[in-house]
Amino acid sequence: MKMLLANAEAWPGFETTVDLLKQGGASIDAMVSGIAKVEREAKVRSVGYGGWPNMLGEMEFDAGVMDGTSRDVGAVGAVPATLPVSALAHEVMKHLPHVMLTGAGARRFATERGFAVDDVLHPDSKRVWWERLQKEMSPEQQAAFPDIALAPLSNTITDPERVRDTTVFLGRDLGDNIGVVTSTSGWAWKYPGRLGDSPIPGAGFYADSRYGAAACTHTGEMTMRCGTSRSIVLAMRLGYTLEDAIKLAVEELSELKTGFLAGVVIHAIDAKGNHQVVNYRCDEEIRYWYWDERMAAPELRVASTVKL
């Protein structure tokens, strides 16, 4: 059964992917095409052009792609001046023996594959970034910026806009191939070079067409420590239902007692056509998009909330 699951911020490209799946398109190709529209939409403030810069006022993008049938993966991290970055991750998967490229190396590869050097810092993001940073710096620090210690500032203003979301697409095509695609600009005001879980296979995403797929948003520092997405798919391989697999993953997250702890949202599907989105510790209502071939149109639904 053809199906597609994505977070609420996927709205600019969700129907594009649905249309391609309806036409018989491959799951990964369809999702990369849809998520590219999200990455270029300035109104989506957690991904691509609409996202927020790091502590230095520079945009750094992360993305991942996984084919659940072959279990091939492509990922990129801290990529400058490149949109759509999910398409670049797909190019890594198709054309390199590597799984992941980061930073300047990823940008070099982007040039080789014909990606333009893009202006990726939205003017409003630049304005808000500097106004917020000024509030945390002394006049002496402002005069010396950026040649100052950044870590104390990072500890003070960690994600002041509370933008920790990631765009995630999980889908299955006509051939029952399951895949997942992720893209994010990462935390606002992050320390330069920070990678979250979005480009990390097994943490922010994982897919196996025999069992299902999972992808996480919000606090990647937690899901990297637990290998959350892989845990869910592995549990299904071991016979857990989708619901019980997610419950196991949430229990693992709840066992973390140190480090940066906040909310996590888990999106998951299984090979039987079931899906579930779970909100763990996020204060706000979490919504998501869902479609399958039995439905007349995609629906925006509310995630279930889990408290331990």
Side-chain angles (χ1 to χ4, degrees):
M1 180 178 68
K2 291 175 285 188
M3 62 189 299
L4 183 64
L5 175 67
N7 63 318
E9 286 75 11
W11 58 267
F14 193 84
E15 290 195 7
T16 294
T17 298
V18 168
D19 289 342
L20 291 170
L21 290 174
K22 286 180 178 179
Q23 295 167 23
S27 61
I28 295 295
D29 294 339
M31 290 188 288
V32 169
S33 294
I35 209 168
K37 292 193 172 182
V38 184
E39 292 173 294
R40 295 191 184 280
E41 175 54 66
K43 295 178 182 178
V44 178
R45 301 314 304 263
S46 58
V47 177
Y49 184 60
W52 299 97
N54 65 18
M55 190 69 68
L56 295 176
E58 301 165 342
M59 300 299 294
E60 294 179 310
F61 301 119
D62 308 331
V65 173
M66 185 166 187
D67 182 325
T69 299
S70 64
R71 280 176 283 173
D72 288 333
V73 174
V76 291
V79 185
T82 307
L83 289 174
V85 72
S86 56
L88 181 61
H90 196 200
E91 292 293 298
V92 171
M93 186 181 84
K94 292 187 294 183
H95 297 290
L96 288 178
H98 310 309
V99 165
M100 179 183 289
L101 295 179
T102 61
R107 180 54 250 184
R108 179 188 178 99
F109 179 65
T111 300
E112 290 184 15
R113 298 306 304 166
F115 285 70
V117 176
D118 295 308
D119 181 4
V120 294
L121 180 58
H122 191 288
D124 185 63
S125 298
K126 182 178 180 179
R127 176 189 62 80
V128 174
W129 157 76
W130 183 243
E131 289 179 355
R132 183 66 181 86
L133 202 60
Q134 283 179 306
K135 294 179 181 180
E136 302 299 332
M137 294 190 296
S138 67
E140 293 75 19
Q141 287 176 312
Q142 291 185 38
F145 187 84
D147 298 321
I148 63 173
L150 297 179
L153 297 177
S154 181
N155 291 335
T156 301
I157 67 168
T158 297
D159 201 10
E161 301 294 324
R162 300 195 65 78
V163 177
R164 299 196 188 105
D165 210 358
T166 299
T167 294
V168 296
F169 279 50
L170 302 85
R172 186 166 70 171
D173 62 25
L174 182 64
D176 292 332
N177 301 297
I178 291 176
V180 59
V181 180
T182 70
S183 180
T184 187
S185 57
W187 286 14
W189 287 258
K190 61 190 175 184
Y191 198 95
R194 178 261 184 185
L195 294 182
D197 63 334
S198 300
I200 309 298
F205 65 97
Y206 199 81
D208 187 324
S209 297
R210 298 170 296 179
Y211 309 107
C216 303
T217 69
H218 288 66
T219 312
E221 274 67 9
M222 296 170 64
T223 60
M224 283 190 284
R225 294 166 65 188
C226 293
T228 300
S229 293
R230 170 63 170 154
S231 291
I232 292 168
V233 177
L234 179 59
M236 289 191 288
R237 177 172 185 166
L238 295 176
Y240 285 64
T241 64
L242 176 63
E243 182 178 0
D244 286 343
I246 294 175
K247 182 179 179 181
L248 174 66
V250 170
E251 288 174 350
E252 289 183 325
L253 292 169
S254 73
E255 293 166 358
L256 299 177
K257 303 302 181 185
T258 61
F260 189 92
L261 304 177
V264 172
V265 181
I266 295 171
H267 306 70
I269 61 176
D270 68 18
K272 299 176 182 178
N274 301 305
H275 79 280
Q276 189 171 9
V277 180
V278 170
N279 169 2
Y280 173 61
R281 282 185 176 170
C282 294
D283 294 332
E284 70 275 19
E285 182 180 78
I286 299 297
R287 297 188 176 192
Y288 66 93
W289 287 101
Y290 179 73
W291 169 86
D292 67 46
E293 62 185 31
R294 302 167 298 182
M295 299 166 56
E299 294 180 359
L300 185 62
R301 300 180 177 181
V302 177
S304 59
T305 300
V306 174
K307 295 182 178 180
L308 295 178

